């Protein structure tokens, strides 16, 4: 009786178990880093260049949009509250920032406006603006 079955069995099982568990954890962590299920919301690297022109976008989505002032701001009806006189300022010259004097809705660019208007998350909103398929 030179064998020590009591020592051997746990060592083999324990070793394999730790190894397997470790690699699964690693894979999960890598998966999370690369977006996991959010990988379907992939954005092309040049998405910012492919956004629509703020002037044409806002002309479609803001009622009664007036002409831009010399600083590039145009006034129109705010879609975020019941607006009867144009209180929404949109920067049509560049970027597409917006700000409503009445309800306080504001955002730094076209994407922020599109998110607020549609309820999409950031990547969904960008994909929609680019005319790409929007996945839930
Ligand atoms: Zn408003």
């Amino acid at each position: 009786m030179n064998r020590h079955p009591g020592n051997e069995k746990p060592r083999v099982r324990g070793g394999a178990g730790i190894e397997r568990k470790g690699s699964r954890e690693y894979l999960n962590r890598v998966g999370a880093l690369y977006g996991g299920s959010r990988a379907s919301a992939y954005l092309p690297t040049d998405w910012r260049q492919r956004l629509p022109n703020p002037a044409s976008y806002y002309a479609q989505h803001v009622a009664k949009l007036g002409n831009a002032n010399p600083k590039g701001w145009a006034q129109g009806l705010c879609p975020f509250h019941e607006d009867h006189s144009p209180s929404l300022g949109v920067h049509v010259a560049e970027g597409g920032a917006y700000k409503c004097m009445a309800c306080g809705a504001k955002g730094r660019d076209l994407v922020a406006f599109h998110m607020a208007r549609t309820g999409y998350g950031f990547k969904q909103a960008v994909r929609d603006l680019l005319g790409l398929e929007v996945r839930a």
Side-chain angles (χ1 to χ4, degrees), residues 78 81 100 103:
C78 175
H81 78 278
C100 177
C103 74

Side-chain angles (χ1 to χ4, degrees), residues 12-99:
V12 170
R13 272 200 201 139
I18 285 164
E19 210 173 293
R20 233 180 285 133
K21 193 181 167 194
S23 74
R24 203 182 303 134
E25 264 176 18
Y26 173 74
L27 285 176
N28 285 344
R29 225 176 294 143
V30 168
L33 273 178
Y34 285 91
S37 60
R38 284 163 56 210
S40 62
Y42 144 89
L43 292 182
T45 52
D46 63 343
W47 65 267
R48 203 172 273 282
Q49 282 78 49
R50 289 166 56 181
L51 288 177
N53 182 302
S56 53
Y57 173 88
Y58 281 127
Q60 276 180 46
H61 297 292
V62 175
K64 295 191 179 177
L65 189 67
N67 293 322
N69 69 16
K71 288 186 173 178
W73 288 86
Q75 298 287 125
L77 290 182
C78 175
F80 304 117
H81 78 278
E82 205 171 312
D83 201 5
H84 300 292
S85 62
S87 16
L88 182 78
V90 293
H91 198 225
V92 296
E94 194 186 324
Y98 68 97
K99 186 173 184 178

